[in-house]
Amino acid sequence: MKSIKLLFTSLALLAFTSCDNGFEEINNNPNVPTQVSADLLLSGVLRNTINDQVNMAWGIGNIVVQHTAKIQFVNEDRYLWGEQNSVWNSVYGNMRNVQNIIDLATASNQNNYLGIALVLKSWLFSLATDAYGDIPYTDAIKAKSTGVYTPKYDTQETVYTGILTDLNKANELLGTSNEVVAGDILFGGGTGSLAKWKKLANSLRLRALMRISNKRNVGADLQAILSDNAKFPIMESNADNATLTYLAAAPNQWPLYGARVGSFDEFRASKSLVDRLSALNDPRLPVFARPVEKPSVAGKVEYVGIPNGLGDTPALNYNGGPQGVSRVGLPFACLVCSTPAPVPNAARGMVMTYAEVQFILAEAREKNLITTGSAETYYLNGIKANMDFYKSTVPAEYGIDVTPAATYYTQAGVAYTGTTQQKLEKIGTQKWVALLFNGLEAWFDWRRTGIPTVTPGPDNLNNNKVPVRFIYPRSEQSLNGQNRNEAVARQGADDLNTPVWWDK
């Protein structure tokens, strides 16, 4: 019996030793990498975040600033928002890979990738803080590295200080190392893209400085950027636009291209947009809206926008029903939303454009925050840049001529005349037009300036107030309750009507 027991013991030990020998090598799949390179991470982050921008614009951004309105399922248009977690999920979900790029680039002394990652970090956190106010920032994305699972919320002022610091650092880093940037689907990669990333970094600094200009004296910082173009280059033409060009074939088409026709057609051109552009005989109107299918006079090309904030029944029946209301413009349409089918990559995913930069400078100059240049020149440059952008992107087969009449710039509603306030209103209104489909940026800017006028619809459910922030995700109450509660106590009630720091 002892011999049998010894035999079984020996066999067991032999089997165990055999199984353990080379175990790690056998179970290591050479086709599944354990570490991803910065270029692969970069392309994914750019695609995900910019697509999220498009979807945010479509679902809520265009609605709240009255570029578009809804004829069905109108809760968004009536400010019955509840949780709006798309920004939170997009920013913190994608920041994991942005932080991975930062870590990889720092370890490898790849300053170009590090600079790009800092630009993306700054842009993403600006979206989150502008939407919610105080947010996890300093301690964010540290669960894996340092075990911080309940990050504190930083004040918005602290967040903006960090954003401006990182954008300045990005400008200093870009172009100071030799690695060739790949995976850059925004600017094309290679050495040629670095100049555009630097321009984006400094242009985003201009945006951030103007955002907080009601809380901090930013004139010296703005002027410092403009006074040294060699050190702080900014966007100089539409060629510098940070806009993603989509592909004609799946899977990287315009995000709305695969939308259901019913879902797409819930959204229509807003009366606010159509009326303002019609009053100016603005050639961009056919870009943003389509003629109604049943005009008031047979054969007439007619654009009719729907008022924002109507209840379900009046919205669906407005002007005789859906065929009497303009659909969203063909460049932004889905595959089954038009005959013939729209071009799948006509529209762009926007981060920032040269037109926006010019409007920022026009406002800054009109307010004497800067001494460089002419407010009127910046303003006219912004309008022309936005029109030229659509001239170059709208397919010829659409038959849309985005060329303004000779009198466009001299008419009372456009000419740079009037009081300072009237001039600022013209700048703000043209900027509002140019920010269409740029995520939530038009809403952020409207909250700061109040331009143009946005009037809650007659059936709104927010006591005749336009929302000025998103509420925090409910999950934060259970997963990070103490820090969330401290932020609420500091900032104010966690509702749609509590302004963020720069808006107070």
Side-chain angles (χ1 to χ4, degrees):
M1 182 64 70
K2 280 187 178 181
S3 299
I4 294 174
K5 288 183 178 180
L6 287 171
L7 176 61
F8 277 113
T9 301
S10 300
L11 289 172
L13 288 171
L14 178 63
F16 178 81
T17 304
S18 300
C19 290
D20 185 60
N21 187 27
F23 180 83
E24 291 183 359
E25 289 75 10
I26 293 172
N27 287 274
N28 182 25
N29 187 344
N31 297 316
V32 179
T34 57
Q35 183 168 305
V36 181
S37 58
D39 58 324
L40 296 178
L41 293 171
L42 177 60
S43 60
V45 168
L46 288 170
R47 180 183 183 275
N48 293 341
T49 55
I50 296 175
N51 282 357
D52 289 341
Q53 276 279 90
V54 173
N55 290 323
M56 283 179 233
W58 181 246
I60 201 73
N62 293 343
I63 292 287
V64 70
V65 292
Q66 301 184 353
H67 288 138
T68 59
K70 295 198 76 175
I71 61 171
Q72 286 182 296
F73 307 107
V74 296
N75 284 350
E76 296 94 340
D77 217 353
R78 299 176 68 191
Y79 312 142
L80 187 62
W81 285 5
E83 289 185 89
Q84 292 288 334
N85 294 345
S86 57
V87 177
W88 191 278
N89 294 339
S90 176
V91 169
Y92 289 104
N94 285 290
M95 264 306 303
R96 295 186 184 95
N97 278 338
V98 173
Q99 187 60 51
N100 285 335
I101 297 173
I102 291 172
D103 294 341
L104 289 169
T106 301
S108 304
N109 294 316
Q110 294 181 317
N111 288 346
N112 294 332
Y113 277 116
L114 179 56
I116 290 172
L118 290 176
V119 173
L120 291 173
K121 174 188 175 184
S122 301
W123 174 55
L124 289 175
F125 275 123
S126 75
L127 300 181
T129 191
D130 288 347
Y132 299 93
D134 295 359
I135 57 170
Y137 177 70
T138 306
D139 284 349
I141 321 300
K142 289 187 175 180
K144 184 177 179 180
S145 60
T146 58
V148 177
Y149 295 101
T150 55
K152 71 174 183 178
Y153 283 53
D154 289 288
T155 66
Q156 186 173 67
E157 184 174 12
T158 299
V159 176
Y160 260 95
T161 297
I163 287 170
L164 290 166
T165 298
D166 280 345
L167 288 171
N168 186 52
K169 184 178 180 181
N171 176 70
E172 294 174 351
L173 289 169
L174 287 161
T176 61
S177 57
N178 296 322
E179 83 275 11
V180 177
V181 173
D184 178 9
I185 61 174
L186 182 61
F187 290 127
T191 56
S193 72
L194 298 179
K196 292 186 178 182
W197 279 106
K198 285 175 75 78
K199 290 178 179 180
L200 177 58
N202 293 306
S203 298
L204 286 172
R205 284 179 69 199
L206 296 177
R207 177 195 278 180
L209 288 166
M210 285 305 295
R211 184 80 82 238
I212 65 173
S213 60
N214 292 334
K215 301 295 289 187
R216 186 184 296 176
N217 187 345
V218 299
D221 292 325
L222 290 168
Q223 187 61 53
I225 295 171
L226 294 181
S227 296
D228 194 342
N229 186 64
K231 184 177 181 180
F232 303 115
I234 61 175
M235 292 182 179
E236 299 175 288
S237 71
N238 281 339
D240 296 325
N241 286 348
T243 54
L244 179 63
T245 300
Y246 289 98
L247 303 181
N252 291 325
Q253 294 169 309
W254 170 245
L256 299 178
Y257 192 67
R260 294 189 308 110
V261 65
S263 298
F264 189 94
D265 279 346
E266 294 167 12
F267 297 82
R268 297 298 172 109
S270 166
K271 179 175 172 59
S272 296
L273 180 71
V274 171
D275 287 1
R276 286 188 174 112
L277 295 184
S278 296
L280 299 176
N281 192 27
D282 196 300
R284 291 169 290 187
L285 178 56
V287 177
F288 304 145
R290 280 177 269 177
V292 299
E293 296 169 78
K294 285 190 175 181
S296 57
V297 178
K300 181 181 180 181
V301 177
E302 191 171 52
Y303 296 89
V304 178
I306 180 173
N308 287 84
L310 297 181
D312 284 290
T313 300
L316 192 58
N317 294 329
Y318 184 79
N319 203 40
Q323 291 184 317
V325 181
S326 290
R327 285 172 148 187
V328 174
L330 191 59
F332 309 102
C334 70
L335 172 63
V336 291
C337 298
S338 175
T339 302
V343 175
N345 60 340
R348 301 288 187 268
M350 296 188 187
V351 177
M352 193 175 194
T353 65
Y354 167 67
E356 182 189 345
V357 172
Q358 291 299 292
F359 290 128
I360 289 170
L361 296 178
E363 180 187 350
R365 185 67 186 91
E366 186 61 39
K367 291 180 174 179
N368 291 316
L369 295 175
I370 57 174
T371 58
T372 300
S374 156
E376 180 177 14
T377 300
Y378 291 135
Y379 164 73
L380 294 175
N381 284 347
I383 300 173
K384 292 173 182 176
N386 190 243
M387 290 195 181
D388 288 344
F389 170 74
Y390 287 111
K391 278 184 185 180
S392 66
T393 59
V394 174
E397 56 262 42
Y398 291 176
I400 299 173
D401 185 4
V402 196
T403 303
T407 57
Y408 181 85
Y409 295 101
T410 58
Q411 62 183 309
V414 178
Y416 201 69
T417 57
T419 64
T420 294
Q421 183 58 34
Q422 288 171 330
K423 290 176 180 178
L424 290 173
E425 287 174 0
K426 290 176 181 179
I427 294 168
T429 299
Q430 288 287 346
K431 186 179 183 183
W432 171 78
V433 175
L435 288 174
L436 186 142
F437 253 115
N438 193 343
L440 303 177
E441 187 57 34
W443 179 47
F444 298 155
D445 204 58
W446 171 82
R447 284 157 48 194
R448 179 180 64 84
T449 66
I451 302 171
T453 299
V454 175
T455 303
D459 297 318
N460 79 86
L461 299 171
N462 193 43
N463 296 316
N464 291 317
K465 298 177 182 178
V466 180
V468 293
R469 66 179 288 270
F470 290 159
I471 65 171
Y472 291 123
R474 298 297 186 195
S475 59
E476 284 292 288
Q477 294 186 25
S478 56
L479 299 177
N480 195 16
Q482 180 177 341
N483 290 312
R484 178 258 181 202
N485 293 341
E486 289 175 359
V488 172
R490 179 174 61 234
Q491 181 169 265
D494 187 18
D495 62 38
L496 304 179
N497 302 313
T498 297
V500 300
W501 166 73
W502 53 251
D503 195 23
K504 292 179 180 177

